[in-house]
Amino acid sequence: EADIDRYKKDLEAALSELEHLKEEGERTLEKQISLSGEVGALSKRTEELQELLNQEEQKSASAREKLNVAVRKGKSLVQQRDSLKQTIGEMSVEMEHLKSEINNREHT
């Protein structure tokens, strides 16, 4: 009878331990499912952010190209301006020379 009581206590302890392990396993499974969902959400967010990054990189490349075009046009305009200034200067000198020549002819 003492053995039976001891076996019953051992069995109850084992069943209690089994129940405890079962509950712990269920909690672990729930936590794993929850974490799996979070990983999925984070993966989706990562993909969204990568797409946004790609779009922003494309916008940036486009803006850089437009800026490069504007800079080239600006440099071209500065060269044209300088050329026109030089031409105007040369024409002014030529005009002064011609005026001087006309004045000389009028006096002679």
Side-chain angles (χ1 to χ4, degrees):
E1 180 121 351
D3 285 342
I4 292 175
D5 285 341
R6 191 174 41 116
Y7 290 143
K8 280 183 181 181
K9 286 181 183 177
D10 288 346
L11 181 59
E12 285 174 5
L15 287 173
S16 175
E17 178 71 19
L18 180 61
E19 185 64 31
H20 174 72
L21 290 173
K22 183 179 173 185
E23 289 171 0
E24 188 176 315
E26 288 173 357
R27 283 192 303 273
T28 301
L29 179 60
E30 287 173 6
K31 188 171 185 177
Q32 181 182 4
I33 291 169
S34 172
L35 291 174
S36 178
E38 288 181 32
V39 167
L42 288 173
S43 294
K44 184 177 179 182
R45 182 66 178 147
T46 300
E47 290 173 12
E48 291 170 355
L49 290 173
Q50 186 63 47
E51 180 61 30
L52 287 173
L53 176 62
N54 292 340
Q55 291 173 3
E56 291 303 317
E57 286 174 345
Q58 289 173 356
K59 287 179 186 177
S60 177
S62 176
R64 272 194 305 274
E65 183 58 32
K66 288 177 182 178
L67 180 60
N68 287 337
V69 168
V71 167
R72 284 193 299 273
K73 285 182 179 180
K75 286 180 179 179
S76 174
L77 289 172
V78 167
Q79 288 174 345
Q80 286 179 344
R81 181 202 65 197
D82 292 346
S83 176
L84 288 172
K85 279 183 177 181
Q86 183 179 354
T87 302
I88 289 171
E90 291 169 357
M91 288 181 156
S92 293
V93 168
E94 178 73 19
M95 188 176 71
E96 290 300 319
H97 175 70
L98 291 173
K99 280 182 182 179
S100 174
E101 205 174 288
I102 289 171
N103 286 335
N104 287 339
R105 285 185 184 174
E106 286 178 351
H107 288 299
T108 57

